[in-house]
Amino acid sequence: MIQKELNYYLQRHSVQDEGFDMVARYANEGDSTLATYMPKGKLLMTNIFRRNDYTREGKCIVKDLYGRIIIGHFHADTLVYGIRIDSLGTYAGQFNRYMMASGHGAYQAADGTYYEGHWERDSRHGFGFCVSPLNMKAGIWHMNRFKGEHMVHTTERIYGIDISRYQHEKGRRRFGINWKQLRICGLGCRISEQQVIGDVDYPVSFVYIKSTEGVSIRNRYYADDYRNCRQNNIPVGVYHFFSTKQDPALQASHFIKNSKFNRGDLPPMLDIEPSDYQIKKMGGANALFKNIRIWLNIIEKRIGVRPLLYINQRFANTWLDNAPDLKDNYHFWIARYGEYKPDIHLSIWQLSGDGNVKGIQSEVDLNVFNGYQGQWDEFLQEQCIR
């Protein structure tokens, strides 16, 4: 299970991504980091426990304020690195002057969980990755809380947009899209300069267009936008906004009737954004996923490919475990601004809702594919409509 997760991570990252070398080393060598922090040299009997009449230097055995045993390397009476053992597991790495884990280090827990990365005052803090018997998490941690992955944005990434009528309307004003100028020039206000290498000037490599919502709503601009994408050789897909109040079979019929599915198009996408109240009102998670499955099965039978599922990170954390079949068998598109948590096999990440694109006058939802050109080519070959 873990080897599969490691392979998935390594396939979709490169040496440009923070921590890639650390994860790659673990995939090849396992927990070898633990051994590298074992102090070398002879352990003198005088260095087993501290006395007031000498300065610790070299390999020593000590206890910290919590009674945890440390086999460490000291310099000028200061612990630099070593191994710390407690009842829950073993830490190997760097320490601060108070004998707390600080800097690079690894922790092997008694239950098999392994973490390697940066520490701050005995807490996982900064980049690190954690593998357990159930999953793998790689990204930014803040005082032991996993925050997600901060992507480094470069010209090698595969970027796209999703659009609806809002890219054509503002109040009573109406706008067209200049498809010849289309170019991403701003990633949105939450993307810091530290996360971008070079200038933001990216081609639009794919477009998803909203076609329908519920059983009656249609996007009046869909047909023209779809035609323009095809004419400009931009990979294009179509999506439906799911309603918790209406029959899923009728929604699927409405979507099929008002959408185009041609050879080479991206797989259709189901936009799932219910509130907790809406889920409760319709009968709970089981009722919701039953309806979602009905829609998915109809579309897959009609189109011949499995749709993508668009959800936000909170929905993934709160509800998705109620549908393990969907979690295991479908590709996901997650909306989470600032950073993302690829806790599931993520195909597309919506990184902002206020991006800037030449040729479009309003702000645009920006998305990035989880992988590089090789994985993108594979995705197009395997997932597009045939």
Side-chain angles (χ1 to χ4, degrees):
M1 174 67 178
I2 292 305
Q3 191 60 50
K4 183 178 179 181
E5 294 299 310
L6 284 167
N7 290 340
Y8 184 84
Y9 177 90
L10 295 174
Q11 287 169 2
R12 281 155 180 78
H13 293 75
S14 77
V15 292
Q16 294 190 64
D17 298 320
E18 184 178 12
F20 177 85
D21 56 337
M22 204 184 304
V23 180
R25 186 180 67 250
Y26 177 82
N28 291 324
E29 303 176 9
D31 58 5
S32 61
T33 297
L34 297 173
T36 64
Y37 281 107
M38 175 60 75
K40 307 298 190 294
K42 186 176 181 180
L43 177 64
L44 302 176
M45 292 303 295
T46 55
N47 286 353
I48 293 180
F49 295 106
R50 186 181 185 184
R51 288 166 35 190
N52 294 327
D53 57 351
Y54 74 93
T55 298
R56 290 168 295 189
E57 188 72 35
K59 187 176 181 180
C60 306
I61 294 181
V62 298
K63 284 186 178 181
D64 66 9
L65 293 175
Y66 302 98
R68 297 175 293 189
I69 297 174
I70 300 173
I71 305 173
H73 176 83
F74 280 77
H75 177 66
D77 210 36
T78 300
L79 176 60
V80 180
Y81 66 87
I83 302 286
R84 185 180 67 198
I85 304 169
D86 59 35
S87 61
L88 299 178
T90 300
Y91 169 80
Q94 298 172 321
F95 292 84
N96 64 12
R97 61 186 298 183
Y98 304 105
M99 298 188 190
M100 303 174 76
S102 291
H104 178 264
Y107 187 80
Q108 181 72 64
D111 65 0
T113 299
Y114 178 86
Y115 171 87
E116 183 177 346
H118 193 269
W119 296 75
E120 193 74 33
R121 298 178 64 86
D122 272 351
S123 294
R124 294 170 290 183
H125 192 79
F127 181 87
F129 72 96
C130 180
V131 292
S132 73
L134 298 178
N135 58 34
M136 170 182 168
K137 296 177 180 179
I140 303 300
W141 300 71
H142 181 77
M143 304 308 292
N144 277 336
R145 281 191 65 190
F146 181 59
K147 302 294 289 184
E149 184 168 344
H150 285 184
M151 179 177 287
V152 177
H153 297 281
T154 72
T155 56
E156 295 182 3
R157 295 285 185 182
I158 309 299
Y159 294 92
I161 61 176
D162 60 273
I163 60 176
S164 62
R165 69 179 180 86
Y166 296 109
Q167 278 63 56
H168 293 276
E169 299 179 358
K170 187 173 183 180
R172 294 186 177 182
R173 300 179 66 187
R174 300 292 182 265
F175 307 101
I177 292 177
N178 189 329
W179 295 92
K180 298 297 183 183
Q181 289 186 354
L182 223 56
R183 197 88 180 173
I184 295 171
C185 55
L187 295 180
C189 65
R190 297 199 185 190
I191 306 297
S192 69
E193 293 181 2
Q194 288 76 20
Q195 293 173 250
V196 180
I197 296 179
D199 296 328
V200 177
D201 182 22
Y202 309 143
V204 174
S205 297
F206 63 90
V207 176
Y208 267 88
I209 310 169
K210 180 178 179 179
S211 171
T212 55
E213 179 176 341
V215 298
S216 60
I217 297 174
R218 295 187 298 121
N219 173 15
R220 70 180 72 177
Y221 304 99
Y222 165 70
D224 284 342
D225 287 344
Y226 175 85
R227 184 180 66 254
N228 278 297
C229 283
R230 296 281 295 191
Q231 289 177 349
N232 286 277
N233 296 315
I234 304 173
V236 60
V238 58
Y239 75 91
H240 172 82
F241 190 93
F242 191 74
S243 170
T244 59
K245 298 179 181 179
Q246 296 169 317
D247 183 280
L250 294 179
Q251 292 190 63
S253 177
H254 178 54
F255 178 60
I256 291 170
K257 180 180 178 181
N258 293 283
S259 305
K260 298 181 183 298
F261 310 99
N262 289 310
R263 182 182 177 87
D265 284 352
L266 297 170
M269 180 263 280
L270 181 61
D271 187 342
I272 306 167
E273 301 185 44
S275 65
D276 291 352
Y277 173 77
Q278 289 172 322
I279 295 173
K280 182 178 180 180
K281 190 173 181 180
M282 73 176 297
N286 290 337
L288 170 66
F289 287 115
K290 178 182 177 181
N291 284 0
I292 289 173
R293 290 186 189 96
I294 291 172
W295 191 95
L296 292 172
N297 290 334
I298 292 173
I299 300 303
E300 184 175 348
K301 185 176 180 181
R302 166 63 175 79
I303 309 304
V305 297
R306 285 184 175 174
L308 293 175
L309 297 179
Y310 173 98
I311 57 178
N312 61 40
Q313 187 68 53
R314 186 179 182 281
F315 183 93
N317 296 343
T318 306
W319 302 105
L320 196 55
D321 284 342
N322 292 281
D325 56 320
L326 301 185
K327 191 173 183 178
D328 292 341
N329 298 314
Y330 283 81
H331 289 261
F332 283 86
W333 178 341
I334 286 187
R336 190 176 197 271
Y337 302 159
E339 70 276 326
Y340 72 104
K341 290 186 178 181
D343 305 312
I344 55 180
H345 286 182
L346 182 67
S347 287
I348 299 174
W349 169 46
Q350 188 178 91
L351 59 100
S352 73
D354 59 349
N356 301 118
V357 178
K358 293 178 182 177
I360 301 178
Q361 296 199 34
S362 66
E363 294 179 337
V364 187
D365 291 341
L366 296 185
N367 307 276
V368 60
F369 176 73
N370 187 22
Y372 291 89
Q373 188 64 50
Q375 292 76 42
W376 176 244
D377 292 341
E378 183 180 294
F379 178 84
L380 294 178
Q381 183 178 359
E382 294 180 355
Q383 302 300 321
C384 283
I385 297 172
R386 297 177 178 83

